[in-house]
Amino acid sequence: MRAYGWNDDGTVNDTEAAVLRRVADHVADGGSLRPFIKKLTDEGITTANGKGWEPITIKRALTNPRIIGKKLKGDTLIAADIPAILDEDKYNAVVKIITDPDRQRFAAKETRSHL
């Protein structure tokens, strides 16, 4: 299965890349994913395999270094032979927002028990 935003030959799919940029801009501007997913659904925009969007699908797409033309080698981002869809500043801003524990709807909260 190909990654959303790229064609089978590895080139950028301009239509899908535009969707990823719209979602990234929405998140960077403080928007939440669920209303945007509804918007994508209403517009008939599906994932690469034709299914509907889920928050985790978008999170994975936007936090994958592939979107900036890089890949992880250990803990280090290195250049990859992949065309970028987002610039690195936008990527870093979006990753910071998406991975913020305070933004996680069902994230485990630290609890303390006093006996």
Side-chain angles (χ1 to χ4, degrees), residues 1-112:
M1 175 52 67
R2 70 177 178 81
Y4 189 86
W6 292 269
N7 298 308
D8 288 329
D9 65 0
T11 59
V12 171
N13 178 309
D14 293 330
T15 302
E16 293 178 0
V19 171
L20 290 174
R21 288 184 194 106
R22 281 177 54 204
V23 178
D25 289 343
H26 176 77
V27 170
D29 290 341
S32 63
L33 293 178
R34 290 189 188 281
F36 205 86
I37 288 171
K38 180 174 180 346
K39 187 175 192 169
L40 293 176
T41 301
D42 291 347
E43 293 176 16
I45 298 171
T46 61
T47 62
N49 62 7
K51 295 184 180 181
W53 291 97
E54 296 290 334
I56 190 65
T57 311
I58 292 175
K59 287 178 184 180
R60 286 180 183 146
L62 294 180
T63 60
N64 188 329
R66 175 187 189 108
I67 205 163
I68 56 169
K70 296 192 176 188
K71 64 182 178 180
L72 275 176
K73 185 171 185 177
D75 291 335
T76 306
L77 284 178
I78 61 169
D81 191 21
I82 304 165
I85 290 176
L86 295 181
D87 66 58
E88 209 161 330
D89 289 338
K90 177 72 68 156
Y91 170 79
N92 289 331
V94 168
V95 168
K96 183 177 179 181
I97 291 167
I98 286 179
T99 59
D100 181 353
D102 290 337
R103 188 177 164 101
Q104 307 305 310
R105 185 173 181 187
F106 298 108
K109 304 287 184 193
E110 180 183 332
T111 59
R112 294 185 183 196

